[in-house]
């Protein structure tokens, strides 16, 4: 008979209200659902002992249905003292792990992390926590919320209810959020009682009200679009006169994923925009329209010790005001990258508490960085960090709130694209469409699928995401196109090396480079690109090569040999020039032309007509991040050594005359 150990204790001497509170305790496949009615409760079996609680019940029960009454009788008859993790009583308990046998920490941390909210962010926090065996408990009103099946414990109740949040906090060592729309007054009360809330309640209060958020950042010198509060139509009209149109009207509270924003394109559109947002009674403000060319975002992490790290700047692409695609890193000049990082770090530095913060920014036409808003938690703009960075934003948030050292936020892949799987239809029709997209994604190299396991499909609802990683943004854009296209799922290999020449007369020399690349299994392309006859084609090739996934360019040129230098001046990629022997000067003119590039335009070169060495040098460059090529190069060197040894032995054995006469 299958058996399971069960760790559940109803509140001893609890009120009827407390007994009616629904608790969902989960560990592995074992789950106990306890409610206040007499409906039989199935106790699922599991080979594991549930760790929801400090002391497991010593008795082992058979898997069967119990009524609430006989379950209570069995549990309370035990001689062992039971300490429920999800208690609804006012019993004072340690805010950390209940195991007090020793002060030693077994593993990374024994602090129980309590999360207000159990959506997809909570789910991915639980996934990151499992790697480090950090226990994450969630408070969410939905029994089937995304995080429930992966959490260490799930209290099924509202995170807006003060008493519930207080009871939940007593079972946790630190309290954090995956959604900022929580009861901040309760958090402030808990902090006064000594509960560790990260980030601090003061930060949540600022972030909850977007107008207050603007005022706060304005006072700290953070660049923002101009804004003002409006309380009636006259003030809205004055704002229109001051800021011009189009005019962005926003709700102060409960605004996210496109909700709470409306645009008035003229004075006549003010009333309808205000009505769409629920009227002035909801609390509104306006922003001057920011003529941005790109929307950027920076994930900033701050530890309990005040240390801060910033993730690479990303570009976010929105559709219907909902994040659609995230490109990492953002394709912006270095100085814009630094400016965005500095603004993000300064903004987070003005807030209190530890954790991960997402800073959304506008890049304007004149190169300004303006802060849009900040989220005090992991964010959609950081989902790609799971595959693309050494430390994901979710692991980083756990490190920060628990008090561990912050991890490395840098990217471990040259490029990444995150695509949100949004509901395209309601119900089963939407699930079928999502399933087809997932099936295509799973056949694409470098693609990872994340499904949030939400029970209900709705249009525009975030149901999952796909992350693509690879050598360049251009490669990933083509792969994403294959996922989104219903017509063709074939993904063509991207050339890693470009072999170019000014004329087909150079091909007999340049073909040796192609042969070497074939031998090493390196993809390449061969093109005729003349610096003199087709300069516009040369310009297009050089400026697009990096985004298309080319990593090294081998350029063959004779005579004046301008091609390698001109290409090197237009691309950030390494360029290897091959001097080709022409009819005059025996190729020396080509060699001297290539090596005499001005400072700031580096071009590597090899011996005249030696495209073989150019290809081998390109392979060594690629080998910096490709261990397979390093291994192949070592084998190539060993093969050359053995070939030379065989020739030497043969020469000694036969003598030089016989050797030459063969």
């Amino acid at each position: 008979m299958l058996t399971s150990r069960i760790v559940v204790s109803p509140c001893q001497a609890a009120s009827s209200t407390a007994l009616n509170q629904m608790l969902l305790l989960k560990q592995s496949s074992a789950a106990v659902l306890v409610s206040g009615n007499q409906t039989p409760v199935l106790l699922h079996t599991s080979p594991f002992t549930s760790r929801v609680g400090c002391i497991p019940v010593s008795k082992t029960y058979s898997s069967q249905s119990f009524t609430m009454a006989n379950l209570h009788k069995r549990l309370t008859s035990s001689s062992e003292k039971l300490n429920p993790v999800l208690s609804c009583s006012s019993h004072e308990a340690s805010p950390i792990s209940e195991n007090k046998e020793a002060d030693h920490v077994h593993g990374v941390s024994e602090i129980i992390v309590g999360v207000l909210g159990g959506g997809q962010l909570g789910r991915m926090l639980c996934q990151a926590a499992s790697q480090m065996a950090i226990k994450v408990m969630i408070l969410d009103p939905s029994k089937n919320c995304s995080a429930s099946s992966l959490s260490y414990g799930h209290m099924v109740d509202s995170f807006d209810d003060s008493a519930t949040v207080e009871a939940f906090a007593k079972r946790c060592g630190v309290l954090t959020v995956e959604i900022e729309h929580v009861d901040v007054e309760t958090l402030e009360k808990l902090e006064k009682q000594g509960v560790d809330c990260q980030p601090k309640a003061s930060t949540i209060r600022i972030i909850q009200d977007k107008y207050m958020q603007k005022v706060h950042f304005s006072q700290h010198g953070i660049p923002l679009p101009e804004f003002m509060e409006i309380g009636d139509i006259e003030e809205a009209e004055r704002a229109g006169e001051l800021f011009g149109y189009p005019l962005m009207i926003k709700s102060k509270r409960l605004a996210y994923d496109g909700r709470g924003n409306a645009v008035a394109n003229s004075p006549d559109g003010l009333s309808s925009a205000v009505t769409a947002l629920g009227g002035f009674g909801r609390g509104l403000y306006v922003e001057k329209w920011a003529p941005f060319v790109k929307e950027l975002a920076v994930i900033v992490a701050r530890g309990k010790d005040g240390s801060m790290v910033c993730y690479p700047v990303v570009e976010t692409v929105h559709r219907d005001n909902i994040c659609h695609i995230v490109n990492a890193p953002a394709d912006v000049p270095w100085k814009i990258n630094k400016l965005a990082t500095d603004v993000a770090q300064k903004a987070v530095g003005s807030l209190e508490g530890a954790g991960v913060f997402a800073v959304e920014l506008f890049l304007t036409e004149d190169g300004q960085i303006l802060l849009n808003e900040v989220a005090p938690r992991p964010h959609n703009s950081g989902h790609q960090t799971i595959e693309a960075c050494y430390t994901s934003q979710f692991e980083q948030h756990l490190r920060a709130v628990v008090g561990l050292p912050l991890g490395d936020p840098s990217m471990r892949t040259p490029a990444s694209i995150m695509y949100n799987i949004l509901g395209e239809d309601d119900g089963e029709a939407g699930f079928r469409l999502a399933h087809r997209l997932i099936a295509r994604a799973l056949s694409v190299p470098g693609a990872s699928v994340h499904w949030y396991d939400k029970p209900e499909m709705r249009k525009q609802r975030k149901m999952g995401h796909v992350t693509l990683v690879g050598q360049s943004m251009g490669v990933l854009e083509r792969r994403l196109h294959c996922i989104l296209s219903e017509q063709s799922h074939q993904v063509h290999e991207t050339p890693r090396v470009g072999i170019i020449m000014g004329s087909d007369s150079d091909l007999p020399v340049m073909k040796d480079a192609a042969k070497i690349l074939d031998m090493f299994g390196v993809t390449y392309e061969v093109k005729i690109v003349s610096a003199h006859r087709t300069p516009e084609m040369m310009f297009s090739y050089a400026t697009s090569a990096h985004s298309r996934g080319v990593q090294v360019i081998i350029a063959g040129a004779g005579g004046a040999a301008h091609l390698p230098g001109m290409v090197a001046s237009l691309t950030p990629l390494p360029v290897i020039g091959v001097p080709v022997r022409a009819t005059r000067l025996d190729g020396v003119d080509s060699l001297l032309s290539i090596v005499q590039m001005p400072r700031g335009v580096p071009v590597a070169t090899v011996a005249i007509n030696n495209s073989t060495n150019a290809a081998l040098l390109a392979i060594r460059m690629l080998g910096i991040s490709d261990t397979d090529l390093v291994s192949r190069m070592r084998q190539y060197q060993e093969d050359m050594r053995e070939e030379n040894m065989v020739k030497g032995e043969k020469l000694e054995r036969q003598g030089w005359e016989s050797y030459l006469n063969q």
Side-chain angles (χ1 to χ4, degrees):
M1 180 179 294
L2 294 174
T3 59
S4 168
R5 284 188 178 182
I6 305 159
V7 184
V8 176
S9 174
C11 305
Q12 298 178 4
S15 65
S16 59
T17 301
L19 287 174
N20 285 327
Q21 184 175 11
M22 179 143 332
L23 307 178
L24 182 63
L25 311 182
K26 296 198 172 189
Q27 175 69 22
S28 183
S29 60
V32 181
L33 184 64
V34 182
S35 62
N37 57 34
Q38 296 297 311
T39 305
V41 180
L42 178 63
L43 302 182
H44 302 282
T45 61
S46 168
F48 304 99
T49 300
S50 174
R51 289 299 301 257
V52 184
C54 67
I55 307 174
V57 178
S58 59
K59 295 182 180 179
T60 303
Y61 300 117
S62 301
S63 176
Q64 54 182 296
S65 293
F66 290 83
T67 64
M68 189 64 183
N70 61 38
L71 175 61
H72 184 275
K73 180 179 179 181
R74 284 180 183 264
L75 291 170
T76 55
S77 65
S78 171
S79 60
E80 294 184 88
K81 180 182 178 181
L82 299 180
N83 234 338
V85 169
L86 302 184
S87 171
C88 52
S89 75
S90 59
H91 173 68
E92 293 294 326
S94 170
I96 311 179
S97 172
E98 309 237 5
N99 184 0
K100 299 179 181 178
E101 294 178 0
D103 294 330
H104 301 292
V105 176
H106 294 177
V108 177
S109 174
E110 292 185 356
I111 296 176
I112 295 177
V113 179
V115 181
L116 302 183
Q120 65 263 24
L121 300 179
R123 179 183 182 86
M124 288 181 273
L125 277 172
C126 290
Q127 289 172 331
S130 68
Q131 180 178 334
M132 299 183 288
I134 292 176
K135 300 173 179 64
V136 172
M137 295 174 60
I138 61 169
L139 171 59
D140 192 279
S142 173
K143 181 176 68 175
N144 297 317
C145 66
S146 291
S148 182
S149 62
L150 302 180
S151 64
Y152 174 70
H154 177 191
M155 177 181 278
V156 182
D157 213 322
S158 173
F159 44 73
D160 286 330
D161 181 76
S162 181
T164 300
V165 173
E166 288 187 51
F168 178 73
K170 291 175 182 177
R171 318 316 305 175
C172 308
V174 62
L175 200 62
T176 189
V177 300
E178 66 113 50
I179 183 170
E180 55 267 33
H181 305 297
V182 296
D183 181 7
V184 71
E185 286 80 10
T186 299
L187 296 184
E188 290 171 337
K189 178 181 176 182
L190 289 170
E191 284 184 347
K192 291 178 181 178
Q193 296 172 359
V195 174
D196 186 9
C197 297
Q198 301 294 343
K200 296 303 181 184
S202 61
T203 292
I204 303 297
R205 180 175 288 281
I206 291 169
I207 299 300
Q208 278 185 345
D209 187 314
K210 290 194 173 183
Y211 177 73
M212 183 186 296
Q213 186 181 149
K214 298 287 183 183
V215 171
H216 170 85
F217 290 128
S218 177
Q219 292 172 343
H220 284 81
I222 309 298
L224 301 160
E226 295 181 67
F227 65 98
M228 65 179 288
E229 188 177 26
I230 56 172
D232 53 39
I233 194 66
E234 288 77 17
E235 290 182 351
E237 290 172 349
R238 283 198 297 272
E241 294 172 0
L242 181 63
F243 297 151
Y245 294 90
L247 185 67
M248 177 64 75
I249 307 176
K250 294 186 175 184
S251 299
K252 292 182 179 181
R253 304 177 69 86
L254 299 175
Y256 61 97
D257 284 349
R259 303 176 183 90
N261 296 342
V263 178
N265 291 303
S266 69
D268 295 336
L270 287 172
S271 294
S272 58
V274 169
T275 300
L277 295 176
F280 291 103
R282 184 175 175 183
L284 304 178
Y285 72 102
V286 297
E287 281 184 10
K288 184 177 181 179
W289 188 264
F292 63 86
V293 292
K294 286 185 178 182
E295 291 184 82
L296 307 177
V298 182
I299 299 294
V300 182
R302 182 167 59 193
K304 283 188 172 181
D305 60 356
S307 59
M308 297 177 71
V309 296
C310 296
Y311 284 77
V313 180
V314 302
E315 179 184 0
T316 59
V317 180
H318 290 73
R319 183 176 67 183
D320 299 326
N321 292 317
I322 300 176
C323 184
H324 180 49
I325 289 173
V326 176
N327 294 325
D331 183 16
V332 294
W334 182 87
K335 66 178 182 179
I336 296 297
N337 197 309
K338 185 177 187 308
L339 180 58
T341 302
D342 290 345
V343 169
Q345 191 165 355
K346 185 176 180 181
V348 173
S350 72
L351 301 170
E352 293 186 304
V356 157
F357 300 79
V359 183
E360 297 182 81
L361 306 162
F362 294 129
L363 171 61
T364 64
E365 293 174 332
D366 58 356
Q368 290 187 70
I369 291 292
L370 302 177
L371 186 143
N372 179 20
E373 59 187 49
V374 174
R377 51 170 172 78
H379 191 259
N380 203 163
S381 62
H383 289 353
Q384 75 288 340
T385 61
I386 298 173
E387 285 81 20
C389 296
Y390 290 103
T391 307
S392 78
Q393 66 165 342
F394 301 101
E395 178 184 336
Q396 197 78 280
H397 189 73
L398 292 168
R399 284 175 176 242
V401 301
V402 168
L404 299 172
L406 298 181
D408 182 359
S410 59
M411 293 185 68
R412 55 183 176 185
T413 181
S416 173
I417 293 179
M418 190 285 303
Y419 175 82
N420 264 336
I421 303 175
L422 303 176
E424 296 183 53
D425 205 342
D426 295 330
E428 287 302 316
F431 278 117
R432 285 194 295 272
L433 290 170
H435 180 74
R436 289 205 290 267
L437 184 145
I438 290 170
R440 294 193 296 272
L442 291 174
S443 67
V444 171
S448 299
V449 174
H450 296 258
W451 185 249
Y452 303 151
D453 200 24
K454 295 181 179 180
E456 183 182 355
M457 170 71 76
R458 298 192 301 269
K459 284 185 178 179
Q460 296 294 81
R461 191 183 193 191
K462 293 178 180 177
M463 303 300 295
H465 72 268
V466 177
T467 300
L468 293 156
V469 295
Q471 289 298 320
S472 75
M473 200 60 68
V475 172
L476 299 184
E477 286 172 349
R478 288 195 295 275
R479 290 178 180 176
L480 179 59
H481 176 74
C482 290
I483 293 173
L484 302 181
S485 172
E486 297 271 0
Q487 313 203 343
S488 173
H489 304 157
Q490 184 176 3
V491 179
H492 299 286
E493 285 191 287
T494 301
R496 301 180 69 181
V497 177
I499 301 175
I500 59 174
M501 62 206 78
S503 169
D504 62 348
S505 62
D506 300 330
L507 187 57
V509 171
M510 301 304 290
K511 71 178 186 337
D512 292 335
K515 290 179 180 179
I516 290 292
L517 295 174
D518 279 330
M519 181 190 306
F520 280 79
V522 175
T523 56
Y524 62 90
E525 62 186 10
V526 180
K527 293 183 179 294
I528 295 175
V529 180
S530 174
H532 303 122
R533 301 180 185 90
T534 57
E536 66 287 337
M537 184 181 296
M538 178 203 67
F539 182 91
S540 176
Y541 183 88
T543 55
S544 67
H546 177 261
S547 65
R548 291 189 299 107
V550 175
Q551 295 171 271
V552 183
I553 296 175
I554 300 174
H562 288 153
L563 182 63
M566 293 295 292
V567 170
S569 70
L570 294 167
T571 180
L573 299 176
V575 177
I576 304 170
V578 178
V580 176
R581 182 178 291 113
T583 55
R584 297 181 180 86
L585 300 178
D586 210 28
V588 175
D589 53 343
S590 305
L591 175 62
L592 293 176
S593 177
I594 292 173
V595 300
Q596 290 298 322
M597 288 300 107
R599 287 182 179 87
V601 186
V603 179
T605 191
V606 292
I608 297 169
N609 277 13
N610 196 343
S611 69
T612 294
N613 273 6
L616 291 171
L617 180 56
I619 291 166
R620 291 189 180 201
M621 290 176 176
L622 297 174
I624 292 173
S625 60
D626 189 330
T627 56
D628 179 65
L629 286 182
V630 172
S631 178
R632 288 181 181 227
M633 180 58 70
R634 284 175 175 157
Q635 185 60 55
Y636 178 81
Q637 291 173 306
E638 182 63 25
D639 291 344
M640 284 197 302
R641 176 182 174 278
E642 290 182 4
E643 181 182 357
N644 198 63
M645 293 283 289
V646 169
K647 289 178 180 179
E649 292 171 1
K650 185 177 180 181
L651 176 60
E652 290 181 11
R653 186 173 60 252
Q654 296 181 353
W656 66 270
E657 290 180 329
S658 297
Y659 188 92
L660 289 176
N661 290 330
Q662 291 184 50

